[in-house]
Amino acid sequence: MSYPGYPPQSGGYPPQAGGYPPQAGGYPPQAGGYPPQGGGYPPQAAGYPPAAGGYPPQGGGYPPQAGGYPPQAGGYPPAAGGYPPAAGGFPPQAGGYPAPAGGFPPQAGGYPAQPGQGGYPSMPPGYPGGPAPGQPMPGYPGAPATGPSVPGYGGGVPSNPQKGFRGSIKDFPGADPLKDVEVLRKAMKGFGTDENAIIELLGNRSNKQRVPLVAAYKTTYGKDLLRDLKSELTGDFESLVLAMLQTPAKFDASELREAIKGAGTDEACLIEILSSRSNAEIQEINRIYKSEYGKSLEDSISGDTSGHFRRLLVSLCQGNRDERQTVDVSLAKQDAQKLYAAGENKVGTDESQFNAILCARSKPHLRAVFQEYQQMSGREIEKSICREMSGNLESGMVAVVKCIRNTSAYFAERLHKSMKGAGTKDRTLIRVMVSRSEVDMLDIRQEYLKAYGKSLYTHISADTSGDYKKLLLKLCGGND
């Protein structure tokens, strides 16, 4: 796959043969050069250190070991927490791309490898100048820390652990933010904008590879990437590009803020985010919301909603749901009986009981509860909720149940509703496509096809247009 902006002009980065890096294993390893072969600086004639009798002096001097400088085996320096000894090359920096033999493990703030990758695979055509296999990418800054244990997309319990990774967007092997921002800058510089270059680049990078571009752009050009994109792009395409350059928690926090402060409250957005994110993700959203908007998410929700619906949202935004995967069948039966007694089997409805069970119990446990409830009452719990409740509380409770019962089917329905009828609810479409592209987009596509008889890809193609459509289809990942 060819990427605009690669390779640079003659004399740029990377240089031609004989430049940097020339061959695997060196930096560069020309005769008499730097760095050394295994052990230290090369002891070639006229190299450094000189032959015995020169500098450094005999034993007891500096460096003490035979074989040159540094004295420690494996690299320079090997202090704990410092540079790991990358074989034969230039040691990576903490938070960047490590390149130990046989793999590409994640480090805090770095990029996780995809299953099956061993080091850097060879670059695709049109992307020369990558490192030799097994070598680290020079000059690769790690992603900036954004607070304690920031979860990425899919940072919680996977929706379907036995299936493995079910997203449509994966890490791009060997992606370098310094090269990527060069492509973005070139796409926006001069007369007109090369939207295709922006689509190709952002549509082939994971969130953990896109977010560092903002810092890399400012470091390289002294300009704000988001501001430059806003001045060059318009409409829904602009909104989609800006959404893709935010961390998951920051994007969720901004969507919740918009749902609360806009004209009227977007209750469905509040429920969608709070019922589908893990505890760690919700806690990170709360932290960012408070720091960005000077007010807690709970206070904002309380000021904009009321009654039992407010209680439902406040319970969900605590991020305190039981996340154990084991199911106690006898407890599931007890909970089903409590729900039946609080609704169908009583005059009036005890909404607090529904709230307590639906917001606190684990998702696997609740799926067992829903099954027990159907056997006991002869109807699905969603039907009972519709009979017993009304308004926002009814739609909120039903959405929570649907999201817990089958998360991918719930999001397929959200996407379908955003596109059906006159006009498109682009905010919902963008939010779901961006937030699920690295979690369960493949499952959502299957559920969409099963429920609506046509593929998500086909529906997006028919309902959107231009560059906006092209980038949405990249997130979709293919037709079914």
Side-chain angles (χ1 to χ4, degrees):
M1 188 182 293
S2 179
Y3 289 87
Y6 302 96
Q9 293 72 21
S10 162
Y13 170 78
Q16 282 65 41
Y20 161 68
Q23 301 96 354
Y27 190 102
Q30 292 94 333
Y34 168 91
Q37 286 66 43
Y41 286 115
Q44 292 95 329
Y48 175 85
Y55 176 82
Q58 57 279 13
Y62 174 84
Q65 286 85 350
Y69 173 80
Q72 296 87 345
Y76 170 69
Y83 297 131
F90 182 76
Q93 298 182 4
Y97 275 114
F104 186 51
Q107 295 193 4
Y111 292 176
Q114 293 304 319
Q117 290 179 2
Y120 291 92
S122 59
M123 289 292 136
Y127 199 156
Q135 290 293 78
M137 177 67 76
Y140 202 111
T146 51
S149 65
V150 182
Y153 283 120
V157 178
S159 57
N160 208 334
Q162 69 272 20
K163 283 189 177 181
F165 183 74
R166 300 296 294 161
S168 54
I169 299 284
K170 297 181 180 180
D171 289 342
F172 185 82
D176 180 347
L178 298 180
K179 285 185 178 182
D180 287 351
V181 296
E182 198 179 320
V183 174
L184 292 174
R185 177 73 180 140
K186 191 175 173 186
M188 292 185 281
K189 202 173 169 186
F191 182 73
T193 307
D194 185 353
E195 286 88 356
N196 283 330
I198 295 170
I199 291 164
E200 278 301 308
L201 192 133
L202 296 182
N204 287 287
R205 300 291 185 274
S206 67
N207 182 264
K208 285 180 182 173
Q209 292 173 320
R210 296 189 303 258
V211 170
L213 299 181
V214 178
Y217 191 88
K218 192 167 277 189
T219 301
T220 309
Y221 302 110
K223 299 190 75 181
D224 188 304
L225 175 58
L226 301 181
R227 190 173 293 133
D228 278 5
L229 287 165
K230 279 180 190 174
S231 69
E232 296 289 329
L233 310 177
T234 57
D236 296 320
F237 180 54
E238 176 196 328
S239 301
L240 177 55
V241 166
L242 296 177
M244 290 175 71
L245 287 166
Q246 297 182 65
T247 63
K250 189 167 183 184
F251 180 46
D252 282 345
S254 68
E255 289 293 287
L256 289 168
R257 174 71 174 169
E258 195 60 35
I260 292 166
K261 82 174 181 69
T265 306
D266 185 350
E267 293 87 0
C269 169
L270 299 177
I271 288 287
E272 175 200 303
I273 292 173
L274 295 175
S275 63
S276 62
R277 307 304 193 246
S278 69
N279 288 346
E281 287 163 348
I282 290 173
Q283 284 155 16
E284 182 64 9
I285 290 164
N286 274 308
R287 188 187 70 77
I288 289 176
Y289 193 96
K290 181 74 183 282
S291 69
E292 289 280 320
Y293 308 114
K295 185 176 184 180
S296 74
L297 176 59
E298 183 181 328
D299 286 347
S300 293
I301 286 170
S302 296
D304 207 60
T305 56
S306 60
H308 287 287
F309 181 61
R310 175 200 287 165
R311 292 190 202 174
L312 172 65
L313 291 172
V314 167
S315 294
L316 291 172
C317 81
Q318 301 309 304
N320 202 25
R321 183 184 292 283
D322 179 3
E323 287 189 336
R324 287 174 295 185
Q325 294 298 295
T326 52
V327 175
D328 181 338
V329 178
S330 62
L331 184 59
K333 284 183 176 170
Q334 284 175 35
D335 281 348
Q337 284 165 350
K338 284 179 186 173
L339 290 174
Y340 185 62
E344 293 279 4
N345 203 28
K346 160 183 206 301
V347 178
T349 309
D350 182 358
E351 293 89 354
S352 297
Q353 189 67 266
F354 277 82
N355 205 78
I357 292 171
L358 291 179
C359 297
R361 301 284 197 244
S362 75
K363 293 183 179 182
H365 172 84
L366 285 170
R367 286 191 277 271
V369 170
F370 301 157
Q371 216 169 355
E372 293 292 339
Y373 186 92
Q374 188 162 358
Q375 288 174 1
M376 183 186 305
S377 68
R379 64 167 56 97
E380 290 184 340
I381 191 164
E382 295 96 318
K383 297 258 172 57
S384 292
I385 289 171
C386 291
R387 284 159 59 97
E388 297 292 321
M389 301 175 196
S390 61
N392 288 334
L393 180 63
E394 177 196 336
S395 52
M397 287 277 187
V398 167
V400 170
V401 170
K402 283 181 176 177
C403 188
I404 289 167
R405 190 191 285 282
N406 185 336
T407 306
S408 304
Y410 167 74
F411 279 109
E413 184 184 344
R414 292 286 292 149
L415 287 168
H416 185 70
K417 283 181 176 175
S418 76
M419 291 185 283
K420 77 171 187 177
T424 304
K425 296 184 182 72
D426 293 290
R427 192 167 201 108
T428 303
L429 179 58
I430 290 169
R431 182 176 60 251
V432 175
M433 293 302 293
V434 171
S435 65
R436 308 312 290 184
S437 60
E438 293 174 45
V439 184
D440 56 356
M441 185 56 71
L442 301 184
D443 296 326
I444 291 169
R445 278 164 42 184
Q446 285 179 5
E447 294 291 345
Y448 199 97
L449 187 62
K450 191 163 77 178
Y452 307 109
K454 66 175 177 179
S455 71
L456 175 60
Y457 191 97
T458 303
H459 202 158
I460 290 172
S461 299
D463 210 64
T464 59
S465 62
D467 299 315
Y468 177 48
K469 173 171 85 171
K470 288 180 194 172
L471 191 48
L472 283 173
L473 293 178
K474 285 272 189 189
L475 293 173
C476 184
N479 207 345
D480 297 297

